[in-house]
Amino acid sequence: MPSSMSFLQAASAKISIMPAPSSSLQLLLVEDENKTLSYSLAMDAAYSLASSSSSPSSMQCRGCGFSEHNCCRCCRVAMLVATNQNQGQQQNDRKSNKTETDMPFPLRCYQEGMNDNNDKSRERDQSALNQIQIRYVNSIEDVIKYLAYAPSLPQHLIPLDGIFLLGLGDLISRESAGIMELTNILSILSDTGFVLDKLRSEMDSSNCTQSTTLVATLNQQIYSSLPQTVYKQLGFSVASSVQNIASNSNTTTCELVFEDSPPRNSFTFTNKNDKEIVWSVE
C-alpha cells in the first residue's frame, strides 16, 4: 500500500536512519547540478510533514487568525531558500525574490502505484501548502538570525514540524566562508531543532515521539570540504541525488544514495518528462 511518507522519509526509515515513521530526520542532501531533483525531494518531504495529522501542531490553530475561515496558516514547516547573487538589497521585495531566486520549480513527487491520473491523493492540499512558510535569505547572517529567533517567534510562526535550508552551500561559497562557518551553521540548526523538540513536547498532551525534521542542501564542492565523520558528529546523515543512471526519450532513471550508511545504500527513482518524480522503496 502506498506510504503517506515522502521519498526521503521512506528511504531513511528503510535503512534505519529514521527508525520509525514517527521519528525525526536530520539530513544533508547533496544537490544535483541544476538543483531540480534535490529541491523537489526536499519540497516533497516538507509537504508530507505539513499534511501529516500525527503532529501536535496539526491538531489546533495556534493563533494565525485564519482558522475561522477553515484555512489555518500556522507555520508547521519553514523553508529558507538562498537567493541568487543578483538580489542585492532587494531582500524585502517579495515579488523580486520570487522571480530571481535560484530555487527551481519543484517536480511533483509520488510513490509508484499512485500514478493513476484519477488518483486524488496526488493532488496538493492547499491547506497543507498554507502551513509551509517560505523565507528567502540573502546571507549566512539571515540564516543564523532566523534559527536563533525561531523558537521565540509568535506561536503561530514557530516551525514545529521542520526546517529546510535550501542552498546553504551557495551561501557558504558566495561569502567565501570556511568550513568553520559551515560547521557553525549546522550546529546551530541542530540546536534549534533540539529547542523546538522541547516546545513540541510542552504542547503535545499525547506524548507523540515525533520531533522536528531538519534538512539542508549543499553543493558538491562545499559538501566535500568536510569529512563525513563531522556531519555524523553533528547528528546529520548524508544523501546524494545522482542523475542520468540511464535514460530514454521520456524517462531518466536516477538514484538517491546514502553516502554514510554502511553498506552504501541507494534507491532508484525516475524523472518522467522532467515533470514528475516516481519513487519506490522496497
Side-chain angles (χ1 to χ4, degrees):
M1 185 175 185
S3 170
S4 60
M5 290 192 290
S6 68
F7 183 27
L8 292 181
Q9 292 169 313
S12 299
K14 181 69 175 180
I15 61 175
S16 299
I17 288 177
M18 190 178 70
S22 62
S23 300
S24 66
L25 176 65
Q26 288 192 204
L27 183 69
L28 296 178
L29 188 59
V30 183
E31 299 162 353
D32 47 304
E33 185 175 356
N34 61 10
K35 300 184 177 68
T36 300
L37 296 178
S38 52
Y39 278 31
S40 297
L41 295 179
M43 186 65 194
D44 179 47
Y47 176 79
S48 176
L49 290 170
S51 59
S52 170
S53 60
S54 62
S55 161
S57 62
S58 67
M59 304 308 294
Q60 60 183 359
C61 178
R62 288 178 278 135
C64 67
F66 292 91
S67 59
E68 293 182 0
H69 305 286
N70 199 29
C71 56
C72 178
R73 297 185 181 181
C74 292
C75 176
R76 296 184 60 181
V77 178
M79 298 194 75
L80 308 184
V81 183
T83 57
N84 64 28
Q85 298 184 42
N86 296 325
Q87 283 301 110
Q89 299 299 317
Q90 297 174 336
Q91 61 182 15
N92 295 321
D93 187 338
R94 292 181 59 85
K95 288 185 177 180
S96 176
N97 282 342
K98 287 181 180 179
T99 57
E100 296 186 44
T101 178
D102 282 335
M103 183 177 181
F105 189 81
L107 306 181
R108 179 65 61 85
C109 300
Y110 61 92
Q111 186 178 2
E112 187 176 5
M114 299 176 67
N115 57 351
D116 186 340
N117 290 332
N118 296 320
D119 192 340
K120 296 297 184 182
S121 63
R122 286 180 53 194
E123 297 181 1
R124 294 299 194 202
D125 183 349
Q126 186 60 48
S127 63
L129 293 175
N130 287 340
Q131 295 185 303
I132 300 175
Q133 182 185 67
I134 298 178
R135 300 175 65 96
Y136 297 97
V137 289
N138 294 320
S139 65
I140 294 173
E141 181 182 5
D142 289 345
V143 174
I144 292 176
K145 281 184 177 179
Y146 178 80
L147 295 178
Y149 289 116
S152 58
L153 289 170
Q155 275 206 3
H156 67 284
L157 295 178
I158 300 175
L160 290 175
D161 287 311
I163 297 177
F164 289 70
L165 179 47
L166 306 187
L168 173 58
D170 292 342
L171 293 178
I172 298 291
S173 298
R174 183 189 310 169
E175 300 185 21
S176 299
I179 59 175
M180 292 300 295
E181 192 64 59
L182 172 60
T183 304
N184 183 45
I185 292 177
L186 293 179
S187 178
I188 294 173
L189 178 59
S190 183
D191 289 345
T192 300
F194 178 77
V195 176
L196 292 176
D197 287 346
K198 285 189 172 182
L199 291 177
R200 289 172 64 94
S201 63
E202 293 172 1
M203 297 176 60
D204 185 15
S205 58
S206 63
N207 295 319
C208 176
T209 59
Q210 184 177 352
S211 53
T212 306
T213 291
L214 305 174
V215 175
T217 72
L218 298 173
N219 56 44
Q220 183 65 49
Q221 179 183 3
I222 295 300
Y223 160 68
S224 301
S225 65
L226 279 177
Q228 289 185 6
T229 52
V230 176
Y231 296 127
K232 283 188 174 182
Q233 288 171 358
L234 293 170
F236 288 90
S237 298
V238 179
S240 174
S241 57
V242 182
Q243 196 171 8
N244 295 330
I245 303 289
S247 62
N248 56 39
S249 58
N250 297 318
T251 302
T252 301
T253 302
C254 312
E255 189 177 32
L256 179 68
V257 181
F258 286 84
E259 302 284 358
D260 61 343
S261 59
R264 184 175 183 267
N265 286 278
S266 64
F267 301 89
T268 58
F269 61 98
T270 57
N271 179 1
K272 290 190 174 181
N273 302 313
D274 291 326
K275 294 181 180 179
E276 299 176 323
I277 289 176
V278 184
W279 60 271
S280 176
V281 172
E282 298 179 353

